[in-house]
Amino acid sequence: MDIKRAKQEIESAVRAYLATDDTGAPLIPPIRQRPILLMGPPGIGKTQIMEQIARECGIALVAYTITHHTRQSAVGLPFIRHRNYGGANRSVTEYTMSEIIASVYDKMEQTGLDQGILFIDEINCVSETLAPTMLQFLQGKTFGNQPVPAGWVIVAAGNPPEYNKSVRDFDLVTLDRVRRIDIEPELSVWQEYARAHRLHPAVTAYLELRPQHFYKVENDVDGPLFVTARGWEDLSAYLQAAGRLDLPVDEALIGQYLRHPDVARDFAAYWVLYQKYQTDYGVEEILQGKPFDAVLERALSAAFDERMSLVSLLLAGLNTRFGEARRTDAATDACYQQLRAFRRELGAMEDGEGPATVFRRLCGDCEARLAADKAAGRVLPEDAAARARAAALLRSWGAKLDERMDPDQAFDAVRTGFNSQVRRREQAVAVAGDALEAAFDFMERAFPDGQEMVVFVNELALGPDSAAFLAENECERFETYSRRLLLHQGQDELLAELDRDELRRSEGSLDF
């Protein structure tokens, strides 16, 4: 199955294992709560879905790669304890608590959550000395003599033998005590993840054109050649940082992430062209509403790869603006909540506490809550960023308050800062809206009824920032094309066009 279906299966199992009846007894007795064994190729996203499941279920997560552990850290160190058996004193070997089990208790203390997932990765790649411990862990839910705490679900993951020569086979006894889920890489599922996590548009555009390069694992005389989902995501993160810092990106660097020479070479060539299209077509000028007649003829006669890359660049420029509007909006909303709280506090202000002190105390409380929520894993990175931006704005407004101000003066001073933020939000929305209209101007002239327009409108509907923007800000042309093109209905034509371009490329009729 694909990793999206696997996530659903695991999340359902977690909810079922943690559910209780009206007496507080588990719906599924602990002895029947089989650990989940997730088997799939490396770099497919097994750890990431654990983080998502834990967050969505409101429980904690402790994750370990077991190959990093020795038997002592997993089981604990031996020590001698004296006991009396049948009237005789005996020396008995016992073990200290496993580092892994201790981490579970530490996580419960840090987060205040007494339920969670204990995730052990690469469980079938352990050393000879640790293998019996892992079998005991799956069969008996213990490390050494330390049981996994109640309320914690065990999920383990491993790689099939074709991907790792050091893997160990599980015996029938162990397999009969686990729920095994086998997963395979699936580009369409990964594309949903890539879109939601805003991966670099060059990566997503390239894989739209070269789906066969998404996941490859081959063996060569010089060793394994591979490209994984993890490699694409890590490369995307570097490309985004390189763009901000103006760092060079070449085939050698790309090959450090895409460990398959043919794929690395092909993507490096695409990367050069992708950047060239950005300049040649004047994408920023198009989005700013400047005349584009000079590049229109080239777009009309371009190969399909080039046209799709141009659409990707337009979407990337739009999403930058949509993202800025969304971030500004989220920070403004968070500031508004603090402004309301400040007004309430001013009405109940105690003697001896001035308005400036009240406001700074509220700001400190806001930052403390954010720090606590981040430590406990109760907040998404996007929400945490919005709250952090709001906290910075609030601090800047608070710095302008004077203890000699009366409540009305203090509130007006803060409200002045907030009104400036509201204007920034309105400006960000206007910039994004104007760019969207400019992009439609170009698309209507260049590709009014082509698959390029299908992709353009589809991506606007599916992108997290564009979809949120369009939900709040009406765009008549988006609605018109959505109805006319019937979103998602042009996929067969798109694939056929890709096949035709691939055939022409193989015959040497295209430069790339």
Side-chain angles (χ1 to χ4, degrees), residues 299-370:
L300 290 169
S301 60
F304 189 66
D305 280 7
E306 184 171 333
R307 301 198 307 270
M308 292 304 297
S309 298
L310 174 56
V311 171
S312 173
L313 286 163
L314 289 169
L315 287 165
L318 287 173
N319 282 322
T320 297
R321 292 163 170 81
F322 294 147
E324 178 59 27
R326 190 178 185 185
R327 288 188 295 272
T328 306
D329 184 62
T332 305
D333 284 347
C335 289
Y336 176 69
Q337 297 303 321
Q338 287 298 106
L339 198 65
R340 293 184 61 189
F342 184 40
R343 169 61 84 185
R344 289 194 300 270
E345 290 288 324
L346 288 175
M349 190 169 57
E350 298 178 1
D351 292 339
E353 189 178 36
T357 301
V358 170
F359 187 76
R360 289 168 190 145
R361 171 169 55 78
L362 287 173
C363 291
D365 292 345
C366 176
E367 294 176 16
R369 285 193 301 273
L370 174 58

Side-chain angles (χ1 to χ4, degrees), residues 436-447:
L436 179 59
E437 294 297 334
F440 268 114
D441 288 342
F442 179 84
M443 291 295 296
E444 286 178 341
R445 293 275 304 278
F447 321 114

Side-chain angles (χ1 to χ4, degrees), residues 248-486:
V249 175
D250 58 17
E251 183 179 338
L253 184 142
I254 291 169
Q256 294 165 16
Y257 293 91
L258 311 179
R259 303 294 298 166
H260 192 294
D262 293 343
V263 177
R265 188 179 307 112
D266 196 53
F267 180 76
Y270 180 80
W271 173 251
V272 172
L273 287 175
Y274 190 85
Q275 292 182 300
K276 187 174 184 294
Y277 297 151
Q278 173 90 33
T279 303
D280 289 356
Y281 280 100
V283 171
E284 276 302 305
E285 286 77 8
I286 291 174
L287 294 177
Q288 290 170 16
K290 296 179 181 178
F292 50 75
D293 290 344
V295 298
L296 187 59
E297 184 176 349
R298 174 175 174 174
L300 290 169
S301 60
F304 189 66
D305 280 7
E306 184 171 333
R307 301 198 307 270
M308 292 304 297
S309 298
L310 174 56
V311 171
S312 173
L313 286 163
L314 289 169
L315 287 165
L318 287 173
N319 282 322
T320 297
R321 292 163 170 81
F322 294 147
E324 178 59 27
R326 190 178 185 185
R327 288 188 295 272
T328 306
D329 184 62
T332 305
D333 284 347
C335 289
Y336 176 69
Q337 297 303 321
Q338 287 298 106
L339 198 65
R340 293 184 61 189
F342 184 40
R343 169 61 84 185
R344 289 194 300 270
E345 290 288 324
L346 288 175
M349 190 169 57
E350 298 178 1
D351 292 339
E353 189 178 36
T357 301
V358 170
F359 187 76
R360 289 168 190 145
R361 171 169 55 78
L362 287 173
C363 291
D365 292 345
C366 176
E367 294 176 16
R369 285 193 301 273
L370 174 58
D373 288 344
K374 289 170 67 175
R378 291 191 296 263
V379 60
L380 291 170
E382 189 173 315
D383 295 334
R387 290 166 62 180
R389 292 187 188 97
L393 288 169
L394 292 165
R395 279 198 306 272
S396 68
W397 302 338
K400 298 176 183 178
L401 298 184
D402 192 302
E403 292 292 351
R404 292 169 296 183
M405 290 179 172
D406 62 35
D408 289 339
Q409 290 174 322
F411 186 79
D412 286 343
V414 174
R415 185 165 54 186
T416 298
F418 177 75
N419 289 339
S420 296
Q421 177 64 16
V422 170
R423 287 191 292 273
R424 281 193 289 270
R425 175 175 64 181
E426 292 170 348
Q427 182 180 11
V429 170
V431 167
D434 290 345
L436 179 59
E437 294 297 334
F440 268 114
D441 288 342
F442 179 84
M443 291 295 296
E444 286 178 341
R445 293 275 304 278
F447 321 114
D449 299 310
Q451 292 308 305
E452 298 83 2
M453 184 65 88
V454 174
V455 171
F456 181 73
V457 177
N458 254 331
E459 289 300 317
L460 286 175
L462 296 173
D465 293 321
S466 55
F469 181 87
L470 289 165
E472 296 291 332
N473 302 277
E474 184 179 358
C475 177
E476 185 176 340
R477 284 195 283 186
F478 170 76
E479 296 297 335
T480 299
Y481 279 100
S482 294
R483 291 190 296 270
R484 182 191 304 176
L485 299 174
L486 297 175

Side-chain angles (χ1 to χ4, degrees), residues 97-118:
M97 180 174 283
S98 158
E99 178 184 321
I100 296 172
I101 297 297
S103 294
V104 172
Y105 285 106
D106 287 341
K107 180 64 73 170
M108 288 193 287
E109 185 175 340
Q110 292 167 6
T111 63
L113 300 171
D114 58 4
Q115 295 180 328
I117 298 171
L118 175 56

